[in-house]
């Protein structure tokens, strides 16, 4: 998924990035600026490692990396009709090609490279860059909207088939023949995307209210999701998770929507013999007698999870990736930041923002430090366990302790920051209703639940009992949990 950032976003603030794109398996992020381009690895939540940076080509507005290889394709505003292919580790240019008009987008997998112009699509064999096909009989495509399956065994291509309706042309990149056309939407297309296997195709129109998923290659509708009803939006990115269980959509609003692709069955399971089950049957039966638009709306699924952005109106792209063995929502924006959220794959709900990276500076910025220290209370078990582990016996500014006035019994000082070098194993006994639900046994709910954290006190040191900030913010101890009389040192 690649996006060219608007030169002057709403509000008159100039975009920091001219373009940004995730690679095919969502393990890398590429950005283009007026100075050049950068490539980042997405293997860690806490650290954003720059893999490569170049200032040889200024004013980059397209940059695409082939998976995690050394091949990168770059297009600059200084030569908008020329595509440059580089081996960035060797520092050499592999080739360059010029076209009849400005290049609007580029898509690539391990077999094919697509160059999309406003009125033509060029298909190259990526191994030798031989031009295999030029698709000329296409309607005007001013945004360069097209998609290429990353599964090189099929290399399906999708592009708009009409300038006025949401028709999609499905093209076989191997046999170089049209497969079918899909009447996806009434309005003009805004976004299209294949899943990793090339077996599903998602689409959204310029209204941005409904997202549909079709089977490939037969073009049958599989799913229909409603993003919203109150307002039309501009969908800026549409992407499947690598396992095709989720579909993510971002727009010019402050909400990123994540839809869950449930397994399809031939028949609906029998509703339970309850009042609500009976009413549900009646409701669905009544929908058969309503106008098509109304009944379709009743059958559309809503978002499984959402991510809240602290901005709107800025160009952005999203993706779903597994980082450090846990599912994450990633959003890159034109203001030069990457936002990382935890996604609960079981319960969904609101995703928890856990990290903000600056894409324009190296190292840890002050903004990132502030973000690290900002407490947040995850909404679910998956979000709780997905928090990055920072447990350590060493002192970190911003950690918390039960003050020295507390002694072994009674009330003592409230939670507060410390800078000492001591640490202890401490049993914090909290009221069970102050703890996240999954930490409590579903069979028995005691009034008190012990939690052991920290490490033994060094011999001869003062009995200060420090809790890592992660525990305090995760469990909400500073606000919701009061220690009871039973407190003891296990060291």
């Amino acid at each position: 998924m690649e996006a060219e950032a608007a030169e002057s976003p709403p509000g008159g603030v100039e975009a920091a990035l001219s373009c940004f794109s995730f690679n095919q398996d969502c393990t890398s992020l590429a950005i283009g600026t007026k100075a050049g381009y950068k490539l980042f690895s997405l293997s860690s939540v806490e650290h954003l490692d720059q893999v490569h940076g170049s200032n040889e080509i200024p004013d980059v507005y397209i940059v695409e990396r082939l998976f995690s290889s050394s091949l990168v394709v770059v297009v600059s505003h200084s030569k908008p009709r020329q595509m440059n292919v580089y081996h960035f580790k060797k520092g050499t240019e592999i080739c360059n090609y010029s076209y009849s008009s400005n290049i609007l987008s580029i898509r690539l997998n391990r077999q094919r490279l697509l160059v999309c112009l406003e009125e033509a699509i060029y298909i190259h064999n990526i191994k030798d860059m031989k031009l295999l096909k030029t698709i000329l009989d296409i309607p005007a495509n001013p945004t360069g909207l097209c998609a290429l399956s990353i599964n090189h065994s099929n290399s399906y291509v999708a592009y708009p088939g009409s300038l006025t309706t949401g028709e999609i042309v499905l093209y076989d990149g191997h046999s170089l023949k049209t497969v079918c056309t899909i009447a996806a939407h009434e309005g003009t297309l805004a976004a299209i995307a294949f899943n990793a296997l090339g077996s599903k195709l998602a689409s959204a129109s310029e209204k941005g209210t409904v997202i549909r998923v079709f089977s490939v290659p037969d073009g049958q509708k599989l799913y229909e999701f409603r993003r919203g009803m109150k307002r039309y939006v501009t969908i800026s990115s549409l992407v499947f998770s690598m396992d095709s269980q989720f579909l993510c959509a971002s727009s010019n609003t402050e909400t990123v929507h994540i839809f869950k692709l449930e397994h399809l069955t031939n028949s609906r399971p029998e509703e339970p013999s309850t009042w609500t089950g009976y009413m549900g049957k009646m409701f669905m039966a009544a929908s058969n007698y309503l106008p098509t638009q109304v009944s379709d709306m009743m059958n559309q699924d809503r978002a499984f999870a959402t991510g809240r952005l602290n901005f709107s109106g800025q160009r952005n792209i999203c993706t779903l990736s597994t980082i450090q063995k846990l599912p994450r929502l990633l959003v890159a924006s034109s203001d030069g930041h990457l936002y990382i959220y935890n996604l609960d794959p079981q319960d969904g709900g609101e995703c928890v923002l856990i990290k903000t990276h600056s894409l324009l500076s190296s190292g840890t910025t002050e903004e990132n430090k502030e973000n690290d220290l900002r407490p947040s209370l995850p909404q679910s078990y998956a979000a709780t366990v997905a928090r990055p582990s920072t447990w350590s016996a060493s002192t970190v500014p911003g950690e918390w302790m039960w003050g020295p006035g507390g002694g072994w019994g009674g009330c003592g000082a409230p939670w507060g920051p410390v800078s000492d070098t001591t640490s202890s194993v401490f049993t914090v006994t909290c009221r069970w209703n102050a703890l996240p639900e999954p930490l409590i046994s579903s069979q028995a709910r005691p009034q008190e639940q012990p939690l052991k954290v920290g490490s033994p006190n060094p011999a001869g040191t003062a009995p200060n009992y420090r809790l890592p900030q992660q525990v305090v913010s995760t469990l909400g101890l500073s606000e919701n949990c009061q220690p009871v009389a039973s407190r003891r040192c296990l060291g």
Side-chain angles (χ1 to χ4, degrees):
M1 170 55 65
E2 181 268 339
E4 180 180 353
E7 294 183 0
S8 182
V13 180
E14 185 176 1
L17 305 182
S18 55
C19 66
F20 34 92
S21 65
F22 294 104
N23 68 339
Q24 295 80 6
D25 57 2
C26 307
T27 59
S28 177
L29 172 65
I31 65 169
T33 67
K34 290 186 176 181
Y37 71 92
K38 295 179 181 180
L39 305 176
F40 298 94
S41 170
L42 300 175
S43 59
S44 170
V45 171
E46 288 298 309
H47 305 288
L48 186 65
D49 297 323
Q50 182 174 318
V51 176
H52 177 69
S54 173
N55 295 330
E56 293 183 4
I57 300 182
D59 227 1
V60 171
Y61 74 93
I62 294 177
V63 55
E64 294 283 349
R65 184 184 184 186
L66 178 62
F67 289 90
S68 296
S69 71
S70 300
L71 189 147
V72 62
V73 182
V74 181
V75 183
S76 168
H77 279 298
S78 61
K79 294 182 179 180
R81 298 185 178 188
Q82 179 174 300
M83 173 187 67
N84 302 276
V85 183
Y86 294 99
H87 189 297
F88 66 81
K89 287 187 178 179
K90 293 182 178 179
T92 58
E93 181 183 81
I94 298 175
C95 64
N96 64 74
Y97 277 80
S98 295
Y99 302 89
S100 58
S101 61
N102 291 357
I103 300 172
L104 300 180
S105 64
I106 288 176
R107 302 287 183 264
L108 59 164
N109 63 24
R110 290 190 172 93
Q111 292 288 337
R112 298 290 183 259
L113 186 150
L114 263 62
V115 179
C116 185
L117 314 183
E118 183 171 354
E119 296 182 346
I121 296 177
Y122 293 82
I123 302 177
H124 294 265
N125 181 10
I126 202 168
K127 293 183 178 180
D128 56 12
M129 289 305 297
K130 178 183 178 181
L131 180 62
L132 301 177
K133 180 72 174 181
T134 303
I135 305 175
L136 295 174
D137 55 338
I138 66 172
N141 186 7
T143 62
L145 180 62
C146 67
L148 172 67
S149 167
I150 67 171
N151 184 358
H152 59 272
S153 64
N154 52 50
S155 290
Y156 287 118
V157 180
Y159 59 89
S162 171
L163 189 60
T164 57
T165 67
E167 182 181 89
I168 302 174
V169 176
L170 185 62
Y171 190 88
D172 190 325
H174 276 309
S175 65
L176 304 177
K177 295 179 180 179
T178 299
V179 177
C180 69
T181 59
I182 304 171
H185 303 270
E186 292 182 359
T188 308
L189 290 172
I192 47 178
F194 287 101
N195 69 336
L197 296 177
S199 59
K200 295 181 177 67
L201 176 67
S203 66
S205 71
E206 287 187 342
K207 290 182 179 180
T209 55
V210 175
I211 295 170
R212 296 187 173 101
V213 178
F214 302 89
S215 61
V216 175
D218 55 4
Q220 298 298 311
K221 186 172 71 173
L222 300 177
Y223 305 91
E224 186 167 272
F225 303 106
R226 177 158 289 275
R227 192 213 56 82
M229 295 176 58
K230 296 181 180 179
R231 54 179 172 172
Y232 294 162
V233 302
T234 302
I235 300 294
S236 55
S237 66
L238 193 61
V239 62
F240 287 90
S241 60
M242 291 300 294
D243 59 8
S244 300
Q245 291 187 19
F246 300 98
L247 176 65
C248 182
S250 68
S251 65
N252 59 338
T253 69
E254 65 281 356
T255 305
V256 179
H257 293 80
I258 301 172
F259 305 94
K260 191 170 186 178
L261 280 67
E262 304 285 358
H263 292 293
L264 297 175
T265 56
N266 293 329
S267 60
R268 296 176 62 88
E270 189 70 21
E271 295 286 350
S273 55
T274 62
W275 174 252
T276 54
Y278 173 76
M279 290 302 295
K281 285 185 177 181
M282 295 294 293
F283 189 72
M284 295 305 298
S287 67
N288 296 327
Y289 300 94
L290 295 173
T292 303
Q293 291 181 341
V294 178
S295 60
D296 286 347
M297 188 179 300
M298 291 167 59
N299 292 320
Q300 290 164 350
D301 292 325
R302 301 304 176 112
F304 168 77
T306 57
R308 302 291 179 183
L309 307 175
N310 59 4
F311 60 85
S312 63
Q314 294 181 13
R315 184 73 169 168
N316 64 81
I317 58 172
C318 64
T319 194
L320 296 167
S321 181
T322 299
I323 301 178
Q324 295 171 313
K325 300 182 180 180
L326 291 169
R328 320 283 187 176
L329 164 66
L330 281 67
V331 181
S333 68
S334 59
D335 66 352
H337 291 90
L338 174 66
Y339 303 90
I340 302 179
Y341 298 76
N342 283 332
L343 168 64
D344 185 337
Q346 300 299 325
D347 300 325
E350 185 165 340
C351 299
V352 179
L353 176 64
I354 58 171
K355 192 70 179 180
T356 301
H357 291 288
S358 172
L359 299 172
L360 298 174
S361 60
S362 59
T364 303
T365 64
E366 291 299 320
E367 178 183 1
N368 288 342
K369 291 179 181 178
E370 292 177 3
N371 181 266
D372 293 341
L373 298 177
R374 186 183 303 120
S376 61
L377 184 61
Q379 305 299 314
S380 64
Y381 174 69
T384 300
V385 300
R387 291 178 64 85
S389 177
T390 56
W391 299 63
S392 173
S394 62
T395 299
V396 179
E399 289 186 343
W400 299 76
M401 64 175 287
W402 181 254
W408 292 100
C411 246
W415 303 103
V418 296
S419 59
D420 67 302
T421 58
T422 63
S423 182
S424 64
V425 174
F426 191 57
T427 299
V428 181
T429 309
C430 299
R431 301 299 178 188
W432 68 266
N433 58 5
L435 295 174
E437 184 76 15
L439 295 182
I440 310 302
S441 169
S442 59
Q443 298 178 352
R445 295 192 174 193
Q447 288 300 305
E448 297 175 356
Q449 182 77 9
L451 173 70
K452 300 175 183 179
V453 295
S455 57
N457 231 46
T461 58
N464 292 328
Y465 311 112
R466 189 172 76 248
L467 298 177
Q469 182 190 354
Q470 180 188 15
V471 176
V472 176
S473 61
T474 300
L475 301 184
L477 297 182
S478 59
E479 297 178 358
N480 302 324
C481 184
Q482 295 296 326
V484 296
S486 174
R487 296 193 299 275
R488 58 192 179 88
C489 178
L490 301 180

